[in-house]
Amino acid sequence: GDSVTQMEGPVTLSEEAFLTINCTYTATGYPSLFWYVQYPGEGLQLLLKATKADDKGSNKGFEATYRKETTSFHLEKGSVQVSDSAVYFCALVVVRGGGNKLTFGTGTQLKVEL
Amino acid sequence: KAGVTQTPRYLIKTRGQQVTLSCSPISGHRSVSWYQQTPGQGLQFLFEYFSETQRNKGNFPGRFSGRQFSNSRSEMNVSTLELGDSALYLCASSSATSGSGELFFGEGSRLTVL
């Protein structure tokens, strides 16, 4: 079946540090890839997405590139802020008989300190 | 435009009881999905409805059921509650008919089973 593996957290960084959160996937089919973010006490929000190999998704200074050869979709940001503290989920969807069934990774908590 | 609304936000039940959770999607969205979020298992897909029909189903026992109404509002029901059903239940809606993976999540209903 489909699965997503992402690095364990929590990840603690100082403000303005560089962020990388690793994500790899397995899928039977050609998936679209996503990063969702969950701020404390809130539901998930779509952060960025990529639908085909070598696509780069970007939003709010975050970027991730769809690497088919390594089945990866690592999240990066050049300079994190305290407001980026949240839980980040990597996810995929494979269009298979219709629907929007997302498979999520376990989430990585990011804490950014001053 | 109003977001996804879930009610109730918090509830406490005892083992053996049943519970019904409600979700109002974003206006115009016809796809509604439900996910269970727990610290141990992460985000697990429950089911998805589109135009009142269940389009996808996750690997949950028959105690978990759902439905969608003609106005796209959805409910999920859990019967004979167990301690392990304690979780945050997230509803998500989508305007896409299939496979976009772009979901809009509500803030969730936090269920505690005693």
Side-chain angles (χ1 to χ4, degrees):
Chain A
D2 304 331
S3 68
V4 175
T5 302
Q6 57 183 110
M7 59 191 288
E8 294 280 336
V11 172
T12 303
L13 295 173
S14 299
E15 201 170 45
E16 298 184 0
F18 185 85
L19 168 71
T20 299
I21 300 178
N22 292 334
C23 170
T24 57
Y25 67 90
T26 58
T28 52
Y30 198 82
S32 294
L33 302 174
F34 307 85
W35 278 99
Y36 277 82
V37 58
Q38 186 176 31
Y39 297 101
E42 299 183 12
L44 279 71
Q45 302 174 25
L46 178 63
L47 181 59
L48 53 85
K49 70 170 188 177
T51 58
K52 60 183 187 295
D54 300 324
D55 265 3
K56 178 185 283 188
S58 62
N59 186 25
K60 299 180 181 178
F62 291 89
E63 294 183 339
T65 300
Y66 190 145
R67 301 287 188 199
K68 190 166 183 275
E69 64 277 12
T70 55
T71 62
S72 65
F73 192 55
H74 305 321
L75 182 68
E76 296 181 337
K77 187 176 185 182
S79 176
V80 295
Q81 305 299 312
V82 172
S83 57
D84 293 327
S85 298
V87 182
Y88 292 81
F89 294 90
C90 186
L92 66 83
V93 68
V94 177
V95 179
R96 190 182 291 120
N100 287 305
K101 178 184 175 182
L102 281 171
T103 299
F104 285 92
T106 52
T108 302
Q109 184 175 15
L110 170 65
K111 297 179 181 178
V112 181
E113 300 173 336
L114 290 170
Chain B
K1 193 167 173 180
V4 177
T5 303
Q6 292 188 243
T7 57
R9 290 291 313 280
Y10 303 91
L11 64 167
I12 300 173
K13 294 285 187 179
T14 56
R15 280 182 299 174
Q17 288 187 310
Q18 73 165 16
V19 67
T20 299
L21 308 178
S22 179
C23 173
S24 293
I26 291 172
S27 178
H29 286 192
R30 294 162 64 191
S31 167
V32 174
S33 303
W34 289 88
Y35 290 81
Q36 181 195 64
Q37 186 177 21
T38 59
Q41 299 295 318
L43 281 155
Q44 303 286 314
F45 173 79
L46 281 156
F47 25 67
E48 180 196 8
Y49 287 87
F50 182 80
S51 294
E52 301 179 67
T53 300
Q54 188 179 85
R55 183 156 71 175
N56 280 296
K57 188 177 190 307
N59 296 321
F60 279 80
R63 300 185 297 107
F64 292 81
S65 63
R67 58 179 176 168
Q68 186 180 33
F69 302 96
S70 58
N71 62 358
S72 293
R73 191 177 70 85
S74 178
E75 289 181 348
M76 66 163 283
N77 183 276
V78 188
S79 63
T80 320
L81 284 166
E82 300 177 359
L83 295 178
D85 298 333
S86 294
L88 181 66
Y89 291 87
L90 291 167
C91 170
S93 72
S94 173
S95 63
T97 53
S98 180
S100 80
E102 294 188 40
L103 304 183
F104 293 81
F105 283 83
E107 294 180 318
S109 292
R110 184 166 295 281
L111 170 65
T112 302
V113 182
L114 302 176

